[in-house]
Amino acid sequence: MKPTCLFIKARYQLRVARLLVLKPATGNCFPLVITAFFALLTFSCSDQDVSETEEVTLNEVYSVSAPTNDVTFSYTDESSFVSGLSSYGFKTPVQLNLNRTASKSGYTSVYGFNIPSDRQVTGFKWNSGDQQTEDWRPQGITGFEWGGRKFLLTTWYGVGPSQIPGVENKHKGVRVSLVDITDMNNIRYRHILLVQDKDNRFYKESDKYTQYGEFGPVRIHAGGVAYRNQKIYVASTGLGIRVFDLNKIVEVSGDSSKSKLGKESDGTLRAFNYRYILPQTGFYDINGASPYSCIALGEGTSSEKRFWTGQYITSSDGRIPKVYGFPVDSQGNITQSPLPEVIEPKDNATGNNGPVYNMQGVYRKGTTTLMAVTGKSKYQGSTARLVRYYDGASNGARYRWPHGAEDLYYEENTGYLWNLTEYETSKYGSDNRCVFAVRYSDYD
């Protein structure tokens, strides 16, 4: 289906003139703005897709980040539920026993990895069991430093038969992997199960396991995760953002059957044989910006910190994918002021030159937006691309990107842009899952 051409709404026209940030050939922007205004009235799109990733000249006004009153949110605090587990003791990331080993060897040889050699920086593969498992698929990625150690954290969703016929793991919800990358020659990690208050409105019973009291699984796609002030923020597709405090990790008892969850009558805590759980401490119910397919901590046009969420929308959906920026303070609270920002980024000139469909990951800094996208024509073994869009440009630029690419995370102290791929070994008869970093400056 040919995508609908993007036109900036009339109520944003004055904002465009006021907020526009350009990279013109000369310092005189006014003629360019007038020319672009008429271009907006006559612009047409093509649904042609190509596999090349060449940069293109960006010199026409198109879409800029603008404040919006159309998005509202509310926060529900669930800290009392978490406090109810305090008698079991809380742990932090540096106190956990990391029982698995990853290796940086071979990460560039996984299926569909096509980053040019001069842009390869670092990365790793999971252990063989996590490469091969069909029960879980990795999605989100973020990172932080804690107690002098450097961590990545990724999300995995439980796979159901709609993803892989015959697999029944969706009832377990979401797990996260805490990965210590302080020494890339000695990468250790551990899986932790996310749980939520059994009495909240999201809990759904399932006959796939034995449910006890207190807490249940977090059954979402977990397409992205961000970090701020010792908390993680997980994208919840139809709801908004789930919040988890990394100071509140709880150690639980084993379960050899891997079929029990919650607090037994004698007080024993079970979690499908996971050693640790991370309880949900609250959630943001956001209206007007769904689906919330990915999330990253980035910067707004005035360098203020914002959580950026992207929408996974296909060309047949009939909607235009957007990126939203929610201001967040130093404590990790999304604030009511300033207003959220919204942008409708564009794909490359020689491809569909239209909306950025199939958005899996997003990162935004200033007036530059980077997006990991999938579902394009195959190029060097991959149907994924990295799309870069500058505010005010008529189109973006595409770069080759590994197959199965998901969420994005920008590491400030190194300037690295991290990403991960999702598919199990059986899908292509070859390992696909890896976590990798490139230099942000190579794509800006």
Side-chain angles (χ1 to χ4, degrees):
M1 178 181 294
K2 186 174 181 178
T4 303
C5 298
L6 170 65
F7 289 97
I8 300 176
K9 295 180 181 179
R11 62 195 177 98
Y12 286 148
Q13 289 175 349
L14 291 178
R15 289 176 180 171
V16 169
R18 183 171 68 249
L19 297 172
L20 182 60
V21 178
L22 294 173
K23 297 189 177 182
T26 70
N28 185 3
C29 299
F30 184 73
L32 190 58
V33 174
I34 297 301
T35 300
F37 176 79
F38 288 103
L40 286 172
L41 301 180
T42 58
F43 192 83
S44 62
C45 300
S46 168
D47 61 355
Q48 181 183 3
D49 192 16
V50 298
S51 59
E52 192 47 82
T53 59
E54 295 295 327
E55 296 186 46
V56 295
T57 302
L58 306 176
N59 59 6
E60 295 182 13
V61 181
Y62 204 80
S63 178
V64 299
S65 181
T68 177
N69 287 305
D70 297 335
V71 178
T72 61
F73 70 88
S74 62
Y75 180 72
T76 298
D77 181 78
E78 297 178 297
S79 57
S80 60
F81 151 67
V82 180
S83 296
L85 297 169
S86 62
S87 62
Y88 295 89
F90 293 131
K91 295 183 181 295
T92 70
V94 295
Q95 296 175 308
L96 304 193
N97 176 280
L98 306 183
N99 64 334
R100 302 188 179 212
T101 302
S103 173
K104 68 178 184 179
S105 176
Y107 83 91
T108 62
S109 61
V110 298
Y111 180 89
F113 191 92
N114 59 8
I115 299 292
S117 58
D118 62 342
R119 294 190 174 190
Q120 296 172 10
V121 176
T122 191
F124 63 85
K125 291 177 62 176
W126 308 101
N127 72 14
S128 60
D130 290 324
Q131 289 291 137
Q132 297 172 22
T133 183
E134 296 182 342
D135 288 340
W136 301 93
R137 279 181 173 173
Q139 294 288 299
I141 185 169
T142 190
F144 53 88
E145 293 187 5
W146 198 303
R149 291 160 64 181
K150 185 176 174 181
F151 294 95
L152 294 176
L153 184 142
T154 70
T155 63
W156 305 61
Y157 72 87
V159 174
S162 61
Q163 287 86 36
I164 303 177
V167 176
E168 292 282 358
N169 200 54
K170 189 174 182 179
H171 60 276
K172 293 183 180 179
V174 177
R175 71 181 186 186
V176 298
S177 298
L178 180 69
V179 189
D180 188 335
I181 59 167
T182 308
D183 180 358
M184 287 296 290
N185 293 309
N186 183 28
I187 304 170
R188 306 284 294 176
Y189 68 99
R190 182 110 200 185
H191 301 314
I192 304 164
L193 190 73
L194 298 187
V195 299
Q196 63 183 347
D197 187 349
K198 184 174 175 288
D199 293 329
N200 72 19
R201 61 188 171 96
F202 309 114
Y203 173 73
K204 296 180 180 179
E205 288 192 34
S206 171
D207 61 2
K208 304 300 180 184
Y209 66 99
T210 301
Q211 175 69 67
Y212 296 115
E214 200 71 22
F215 55 83
V218 180
R219 293 180 58 184
I220 60 175
H221 190 68
V225 60
Y227 172 89
R228 183 70 164 167
N229 189 38
Q230 301 188 336
K231 294 184 281 290
I232 59 169
Y233 299 77
V234 180
S236 187
T237 310
L239 174 70
I241 301 171
R242 311 286 189 113
V243 185
F244 301 82
D245 187 340
L246 291 173
N247 290 288
K248 307 295 185 182
I249 301 170
V250 180
E251 187 170 1
V252 301
S253 299
D255 169 26
S256 59
S257 70
K258 300 182 180 180
S259 64
K260 302 174 183 178
L261 181 68
K263 182 179 178 180
E264 295 193 60
S265 57
D266 65 358
T268 303
L269 303 183
R270 307 287 187 186
F272 303 129
N273 210 37
Y274 284 86
R275 182 170 176 176
Y276 303 102
I277 60 172
L278 180 58
Q280 179 173 295
T281 192
F283 59 89
Y284 287 93
D285 191 342
I286 306 175
N287 296 308
S290 65
Y292 308 95
S293 305
C294 47
I295 184 173
L297 179 67
E299 296 180 357
T301 53
S302 299
S303 299
E304 75 281 7
K305 293 296 184 183
R306 289 181 182 261
F307 285 136
W308 292 98
T309 63
Q311 299 178 320
Y312 181 94
I313 291 175
T314 65
S315 59
S316 61
D317 185 275
R319 293 177 293 166
I320 302 298
K322 299 178 183 179
V323 171
Y324 289 87
F326 301 93
V328 57
D329 65 21
S330 60
Q331 299 303 305
N333 302 308
I334 295 178
T335 60
Q336 298 284 351
S337 179
L339 288 174
E341 291 184 357
V342 60
I343 184 172
E344 298 178 2
K346 296 283 290 181
D347 212 329
N348 71 325
T350 53
N352 67 338
N353 198 30
V356 182
Y357 294 116
N358 299 34
M359 197 184 307
Q360 302 277 13
V362 65
Y363 173 70
R364 182 169 165 83
K365 183 178 182 181
T367 57
T368 300
T369 307
L370 294 179
M371 294 148 288
V373 301
T374 56
K376 310 307 175 186
S377 57
K378 184 172 286 190
Y379 182 69
Q380 295 197 353
S382 175
T383 60
R385 303 288 189 274
L386 185 73
V387 176
R388 184 200 65 213
Y389 179 72
Y390 292 144
D391 280 9
S394 61
N395 47 259
R398 281 184 181 176
Y399 299 90
R400 65 176 74 170
W401 208 243
H403 190 69
E406 291 294 325
D407 199 31
L408 293 172
Y409 157 60
Y410 176 70
E411 187 178 37
E412 288 189 1
N413 62 347
T414 62
Y416 290 170
L417 185 71
W418 289 86
N419 196 212
L420 75 170
T421 56
E422 74 165 318
Y423 291 116
E424 59 282 347
T425 305
S426 61
K427 186 172 181 67
Y428 301 107
S430 176
D431 287 349
N432 169 251
R433 291 176 182 151
C434 73
V435 179
F436 67 95
V438 297
R439 289 175 294 271
Y440 174 84
S441 59
D442 285 340
Y443 298 89
D444 185 19

